[in-house]
Amino acid sequence: MRALIQTVSRASVTVDDEVVGKISDGLLVLLGVTHDDTAVIATNLARKVHELRILDGDASAADTGAPLLVVSQFTLYGDARKGRRPTWSAAAPAEVAEPLVSAFVAALRERGAPVETGRFRAHMLVESVNVGPRTVWLEV
């Protein structure tokens, strides 16, 4: 499982002209799932993301109560080392990925984190205003 985490002053996800998730002053989390990921991995990554000291003053979302916007992003497993057209073979199929994205979100919520999400399998417009910018890549 991979997560690309960005500090944002605001971020939102729009599907078919409807805003389905939005946050202010928090973390945008783009989340990718691969074939051998499990619910345990999702829970562990959720803890790491929630406790990641990336906010002002070396604070974490767990420390501050900052919201998170989680967006499924299979393209984090894209591989373009052999040419210009990426292959997505390392990304888990939707039937595997969707429950693990849900497990990641549930684990954050169990920790008390305010979480908004995109919509799985939808064509999403993701907007963000990065702060810093600060971006961290985590992989479990």
Side-chain angles (χ1 to χ4, degrees), residues 2-139:
R2 293 178 175 168
L4 184 71
I5 302 109
Q6 298 179 314
T7 55
V8 296
S9 62
R10 66 180 181 272
S12 65
V13 177
T14 302
V15 176
D16 296 329
D17 296 323
E18 173 193 357
V19 175
V20 297
K22 68 178 183 176
I23 63 166
S24 296
D25 299 318
L27 301 177
L28 172 60
V29 181
L30 305 177
L31 185 66
V33 179
T34 193
H35 301 280
D36 57 355
D37 285 333
T38 65
V40 170
I41 290 172
T43 299
N44 289 338
L45 185 58
R47 178 190 53 76
K48 286 180 108 173
V49 168
H50 195 224
E51 295 177 357
L52 184 65
R53 298 192 171 281
I54 190 175
L55 298 171
D56 290 339
D58 279 338
S60 69
D63 296 331
T64 65
L68 297 95
L69 175 59
V70 177
V71 180
S72 175
Q73 187 80 36
F74 76 91
T75 61
L76 290 179
Y77 278 99
D79 184 353
R81 289 178 290 180
K82 294 182 180 180
R84 295 172 292 147
R85 182 176 298 152
T87 176
W88 315 112
S89 61
E95 302 76 36
V96 173
E98 188 170 12
L100 293 173
V101 170
S102 294
F104 177 85
V105 169
L108 286 170
R109 288 181 175 147
E110 286 172 11
R111 297 177 58 81
V115 181
E116 295 281 322
T117 65
R119 186 171 296 156
F120 203 87
R121 286 187 169 180
H123 179 62
M124 296 178 277
L125 300 176
V126 180
E127 295 183 83
S128 67
V129 177
N130 295 24
V131 174
R134 285 172 263 176
T135 302
V136 174
W137 175 275
L138 291 178
E139 191 164 10

